[in-house]
Amino acid sequence: MTTPAYPPKPSPGDRIAVVSPSAGLPGLFPLPYELGLERLRKEYGLEPVEYPATRRMDSTPQERADDLHAAFADPDIKAIVASIGGDDQITVLPLLDRELIRANPKPFFGMSDNTNLLAHLHATGCVGYYGASVMCELGRPGVMHPQTAASLRAALFTSGTYELRPAERWNDVDRDWADPTTFATEPETRPGAGWTWLNADRMVEGRSWGGNLETLGWLLMADLEIAHDLAVYDGGVLFLETSEELPGDAEVFRTLRAMGERGLLQRFSALLMGRPKTWSFEHPHSPQEAACYAAGQRESVLRATRAYAPGTTVVFDVDFGHTDPQLVIPYGGTVRVDGPARRITVTY
């Protein structure tokens, strides 16, 4: 595997691609999508360019791959942003032209099912960015969370270090994207309690790898985009988070166990565990139920790390993934986890 390199960054005024490599949800829910496009223009000074499959729920894997190829190959496109995630981007991976992408490196921003493409970019040799989809973060009701907005701005336009900080207030309860009144008010937030550290007596610095846990499980089963020479992950920083499908404790443990049995989990020197999403329309948990769910997931992670990576530095409830705010994590970029100082610094 090639050591990932940072691609050139866009500047205000540049054109950026907006694609749907997974699901064409902009066609079903135009309100958060159009709001996200407007913010790209007005708040970040970028000109979004849509591709044919962006708003199509019935697009084929080949059509979505074609959009990605066109976006990477166009010299006027300076970055690529996913509209949202989904659940079948894995079907696009075999259709991608690795050499075309390697010859035209560009910053790609996405999360959740976009773990597929980010893992592909990592294997191709290009740093990507986990976070900041158009519909979720840029399309947040009211205004963007200030921590999300600042992290995205730094990741888009700068090339230095950036310190991640725990959210003072956060939210993981969704509202109806089809209801226009949803976008008139701010989401209700609750106080943050900071991050929880384990084995924090050391400083770890390495390249990051990971993403959505469920998606990584699919990649493991399909044997896609996971290096066969696991030494490439030695000393790195693993970052994981779970989705709005709210996987149970057993599924979380079993996926991590599979990573351990493959010899992967123990390769990393640090694990950043994203704040778990604890609410969905299918499971509208009460605050007490949400706290119980989060505690169960934490115990599953601890059970797996005790078995396979007992010395790993672990940080729980880092603000990335399916909760709000969402800090952008460089995928394949440098991350420093300073246990004694209780600080996490990324290099964008």
Side-chain angles (χ1 to χ4, degrees):
M1 179 185 288
T2 304
T3 300
Y6 288 88
K9 296 296 185 78
S11 300
D14 282 343
R15 291 157 58 90
I16 64 168
V18 176
V19 293
S20 296
S22 297
L25 286 175
L28 290 181
F29 300 104
L31 295 176
Y33 178 64
E34 294 292 349
L35 177 57
L37 295 182
E38 180 182 5
R39 285 185 175 139
L40 282 172
R41 294 186 185 101
K42 293 185 176 180
E43 298 184 21
Y44 292 90
L46 298 166
E47 184 54 41
V49 178
E50 269 191 37
Y51 282 72
T54 303
R55 300 192 192 219
R56 287 179 49 200
M57 283 295 294
D58 61 347
S59 64
T60 66
Q62 185 63 62
E63 288 169 331
R64 285 175 270 148
D66 290 344
D67 282 359
L68 289 169
H69 291 153
F72 275 102
D74 187 343
D76 290 332
I77 294 295
K78 304 302 182 182
I80 304 170
V81 184
S83 67
I84 198 167
D87 69 359
D88 77 335
Q89 195 176 116
I90 195 169
T91 63
V92 176
L93 292 181
L95 305 174
L96 294 179
D97 185 335
R98 196 178 299 271
E99 293 309 313
L100 182 152
I101 293 173
R102 180 180 285 118
N104 299 277
K106 292 176 184 179
F108 173 80
F109 290 80
M111 55 162 286
S112 193
D113 199 40
N114 291 289
T115 297
N116 286 285
L117 182 54
L118 287 160
H120 177 88
L121 291 174
H122 184 277
T124 302
C126 181
V127 171
Y129 297 89
Y130 193 83
S133 62
V134 175
M135 295 179 69
C136 296
E137 292 72 48
L138 284 154
R140 182 183 189 263
V143 298
M144 289 183 70
H145 192 292
Q147 284 182 269
T148 303
S151 175
L152 174 57
R153 186 174 299 279
L156 270 170
F157 299 129
T158 72
S159 299
T161 59
Y162 186 87
E163 184 173 351
L164 308 183
R165 297 183 183 277
E168 294 184 4
R169 299 192 66 85
W170 63 280
N171 172 59
D172 69 345
V173 176
D174 300 318
R175 292 190 286 177
D176 185 1
W177 277 349
D179 183 357
T181 64
T182 288
F183 300 91
T185 59
E186 286 280 310
E188 292 185 9
T189 59
R190 49 190 134 164
W195 302 332
T196 300
W197 294 70
L198 178 70
N199 296 330
D201 59 343
R202 71 209 69 172
M203 193 275 287
V204 172
E205 182 173 287
R207 293 197 176 268
S208 63
W209 184 88
N212 176 251
L213 184 65
E214 300 101 297
T215 307
L216 288 173
W218 305 336
L219 291 174
L220 283 163
M221 285 188 283
D223 196 23
L224 290 172
E225 308 304 346
I226 312 292
H228 289 170
D229 179 6
L230 298 182
V232 301
Y233 304 115
D234 284 351
V237 177
L238 177 64
F239 68 99
L240 301 171
E241 57 92 22
T242 52
S243 76
E244 77 282 359
E245 294 185 357
L246 308 189
D249 303 348
E251 180 182 349
V252 170
F253 171 73
R254 288 166 182 165
T255 303
L256 291 171
R257 180 177 63 187
M259 293 174 69
E261 288 297 325
R262 184 156 178 172
L264 180 60
L265 189 61
Q266 49 270 54
R267 294 284 180 168
F268 297 92
S269 296
L271 165 61
L272 307 183
M273 198 70 201
R275 184 191 304 279
K277 187 170 178 59
T278 60
W279 188 100
S280 71
F281 287 109
E282 293 76 19
H283 301 284
H285 287 157
S286 68
Q288 294 76 21
E289 291 169 329
C292 183
Y293 175 85
Q297 182 175 116
R298 179 176 299 186
E299 181 52 39
S300 293
V301 175
L302 289 172
R303 181 183 170 196
T305 55
R306 283 195 296 262
Y308 294 100
T312 299
T313 299
V314 184
V315 191
F316 288 100
D317 295 335
V318 183
D319 300 280
F320 66 89
H322 284 77
T323 58
D324 176 42
Q326 186 189 93
L327 304 175
V328 177
I329 306 295
Y331 199 111
T334 301
V335 176
R336 174 179 290 181
V337 182
D338 188 338
R342 300 297 196 271
R343 297 175 67 182
I344 301 174
T345 305
V346 300
T347 298
Y348 289 146

